[in-house]
Amino acid sequence: MFHKNTPPCHILSILFAFATSALLLFPAKAIAINMNNNHHPQHQQQQQQLKNIVVVGGTHGNEYTGVWCIKALDRQSQQIQTQYPSLDVSTLLGNPQAHMANKRFLHEDLNRQFSKEALQMAYSHHLDASHYLSSQKYHDKDDTTTTTLPLEIKRAREIDQILGPKFKFDAPTPSSSTGTAMMAHGTPAAHVVIDLHSTTSNMGLTIIVAEGDVVMTRAAAYVLHKCTEAMSGGRERVHCLVHTHASREARPNLSSTGQHGFTIEVGPVPQGVLRHDAVEKTQLALHAMLEYIHLHNTDRERLDDILKKMYEGSSLRVPCFRSASAVRKGEMSGKITWPCVPENPNFPAYMVHKDLQDADFELVKTGDPIFVDLDGNVICYDGSYGPSVYLMFVNEAGYYYESSGTGVSVAIKTEYDLETGRLLEIRDEL
């Protein structure tokens, strides 16, 4: 295009004129590209390929359903690869030491250790992943460099190193005594973290996602519809719960370490027990989720058509429950709490009233009985979350622990928009 003797200043002038002409001739195209790159994060989110999928079981050590499912998944790895070739599916045992002890946790609830504050505490202590300790070593008073953190906080750091990082850190140097890590958003290695849980509450099959993560709310809509159809023609209980944390960074749960998080919860299941029906429900939801992600990667147009057909009768509104906002340490959602006896912070001074027992996702109105105290007095719902609410995780054994947040969780029945993943105003008939 240019003669070898053309002066450099002339070359720059020609290039500048060419670029200016292109902008004048194609301004709309230039603006559209800029808008797509900067102003449509949901669109970008939906276009992303989701390859690295991690399925976690045993985040709570005595929830055996998820552990069984990841062990079975490992045995089916070749079949999974054939069935969903666009996915690289791996598994992770969340809290191995608590699982071996058949306990929810050893020191603190692992599923509350992924907030900014908790991870900052873990990273501010210079522990390499190879130095993670057993609960016995945690109590070793001779090792002053490694006894300052509960086991689950150390395990949270290790998991964040595997699945995340959730944040970027300017880690403290070995020469500093404690140091405070500076934090920014990280780019997690795991595209999707699917966390498998069971509950002692009568929750049925419940899908849990975060508001505004449109890839995951669409996944929840897909899994919800598939499982409702498959489970006895819709007679089984299948629910979707949407958490309303301000952002992924604010969520304290394990699945928030990935770029996207998806939780499957099944109950009632006693702690430390395997139930065939609960495993089947979990596996049904898990495979529906893998099917969704594979379609997302390989045939998005078909996936869009399927979702629209599933919800065209409801104007693309997906029925769900939204959690009330968490207000206390350890809570994933707002709760109606009970007092505990003075000598034991994990033993309630109230028990769940018989009328509320097993009534998860059923309407509770002001004045309805919810607890009974040690003297036999009935405590009624006081309307603190509104004149009528839906309660969930009713008499969940894990919520007897202070570090998990004691009490009964509060939910409100609503819907979300299939296209945006945002919660909608509650309709009058709801």
Side-chain angles (χ1 to χ4, degrees):
M1 180 176 177
F2 301 110
H3 190 275
K4 62 180 181 180
N5 294 323
T6 303
C9 59
H10 290 177
I11 294 174
L12 290 174
S13 299
I14 292 167
L15 289 173
F16 178 78
F18 179 79
T20 305
S21 299
L23 286 174
L24 290 172
L25 287 170
F26 306 108
K29 184 71 172 177
I31 292 169
I33 292 172
N34 185 59
M35 287 180 65
N36 284 336
N37 287 338
N38 298 314
H39 298 295
H40 294 286
Q42 288 182 347
H43 177 76
Q44 292 175 354
Q45 201 179 74
Q46 291 188 58
Q47 297 305 310
Q48 181 190 20
Q49 289 287 107
L50 306 174
K51 182 174 178 60
N52 299 322
I53 315 301
V54 182
V55 183
V56 182
T59 298
H60 296 131
N62 56 7
E63 295 179 10
Y64 281 10
T65 303
V67 179
W68 179 280
C69 288
I70 63 170
K71 288 180 178 292
L73 200 63
D74 287 338
R75 289 170 175 259
Q76 301 160 3
S77 58
Q78 190 58 51
Q79 178 185 341
I80 294 296
Q81 183 59 48
T82 302
Q83 193 170 359
Y84 311 112
S86 72
L87 308 183
D88 183 2
V89 180
S90 58
T91 64
L92 177 70
L93 180 58
N95 196 337
Q97 292 167 340
H99 175 62
M100 290 300 294
N102 190 19
K103 292 183 177 181
R104 181 176 175 89
F105 53 83
L106 294 185
H107 302 132
E108 294 186 12
D109 192 331
L110 178 62
N111 210 33
R112 306 294 185 270
Q113 304 308 320
F114 298 90
S115 65
K116 180 184 292 187
E117 292 76 17
L119 284 174
Q120 190 165 7
M121 181 186 299
Y123 277 95
S124 67
H125 290 69
H126 26 278
L127 297 173
D128 186 80
S130 62
H131 294 158
Y132 289 124
L133 309 173
S134 68
S135 58
Q136 289 78 18
K137 190 66 172 292
Y138 173 80
H139 294 291
D140 185 355
K141 294 181 180 179
D142 295 329
D143 188 348
T144 58
T145 65
T146 55
T147 58
T148 56
L149 291 178
L151 179 139
E152 278 77 17
I153 293 182
K154 300 172 192 172
R155 179 59 175 162
R157 172 177 164 167
E158 184 175 40
I159 290 171
D160 186 62
Q161 291 175 337
I162 297 168
L163 304 182
K166 185 173 179 178
F167 304 99
K168 292 179 181 177
F169 290 85
D170 289 333
T173 62
S175 60
S176 64
S177 57
T178 56
T180 301
M182 299 300 294
M183 310 179 70
H185 298 178
T187 303
H191 292 136
V192 181
V193 176
I194 305 171
D195 199 9
L196 308 180
H197 286 261
S198 59
T199 171
T200 60
S201 301
N202 189 29
M203 297 274 286
L205 170 57
T206 302
I207 308 304
I208 307 175
V209 292
E211 182 184 11
D213 184 341
V214 66
V215 176
M216 291 297 99
T217 53
R218 284 163 63 87
Y222 186 91
V223 174
L224 180 68
H225 192 277
K226 282 276 186 176
C227 292
T228 300
E229 277 192 336
M231 290 167 56
S232 304
R235 290 192 296 274
E236 291 271 359
R237 294 159 62 93
V238 186
H239 301 106
C240 176
L241 172 63
V242 178
H243 277 316
T244 55
H245 297 95
S247 65
R248 170 178 159 266
E249 288 70 28
R251 297 171 209 145
N253 54 318
L254 184 149
S255 65
S256 69
T257 55
Q259 293 182 30
H260 303 279
F262 191 91
T263 299
I264 299 170
E265 187 92 48
V266 176
V269 182
Q271 293 181 332
V273 169
L274 286 165
R275 284 186 54 151
H276 188 195
D277 56 346
V279 168
E280 284 188 328
K281 291 174 185 177
T282 304
Q283 290 176 330
L284 175 67
L286 175 59
H287 281 276
M289 178 58 174
L290 296 177
E291 182 179 280
Y292 164 87
I293 302 172
H294 180 59
L295 280 171
H296 171 91
N297 289 343
T298 60
D299 198 343
R300 220 155 292 173
E301 187 174 337
R302 181 179 168 220
L303 177 60
D304 288 343
D305 289 341
I306 291 171
L307 285 167
K308 286 174 182 176
K309 287 177 182 177
M310 285 177 172
Y311 293 95
E312 61 186 356
S314 60
S315 303
L316 304 185
R317 298 161 76 110
V318 182
C320 69
F321 292 83
R322 72 167 176 85
S323 59
S325 298
V327 294
R328 299 173 185 85
K329 182 181 178 181
E331 293 181 344
M332 278 295 295
S333 60
K335 291 181 178 178
I336 299 173
T337 61
W338 51 58
C340 295
V341 296
E343 66 274 15
N344 184 352
N346 300 321
F347 191 90
Y350 293 172
M351 67 176 171
V352 171
H353 192 277
K354 61 183 179 181
D355 290 352
L356 183 60
Q357 183 63 49
D358 301 325
D360 298 77
F361 296 114
E362 294 183 14
L363 190 67
V364 173
K365 298 180 180 178
T366 302
D368 287 349
I370 54 172
F371 300 131
V372 178
D373 70 12
L374 285 163
D375 295 317
N377 299 310
V378 173
I379 292 88
C380 296
Y381 173 56
D382 62 4
S384 55
Y385 282 93
S388 60
V389 293
Y390 294 81
L391 300 184
M392 57 186 179
F393 291 104
V394 174
N395 219 1
E396 157 58 36
Y399 292 173
Y400 280 46
Y401 294 105
E402 186 177 34
S403 76
S404 297
T406 58
V408 178
S409 295
V410 178
I412 297 167
K413 194 173 184 180
T414 184
E415 299 168 322
Y416 65 83
D417 185 279
L418 179 65
E419 298 298 327
T420 66
R422 291 293 175 186
L423 292 163
L424 301 169
E425 291 296 324
I426 302 171
R427 298 192 308 201
D428 292 339
E429 65 264 34
L430 294 179

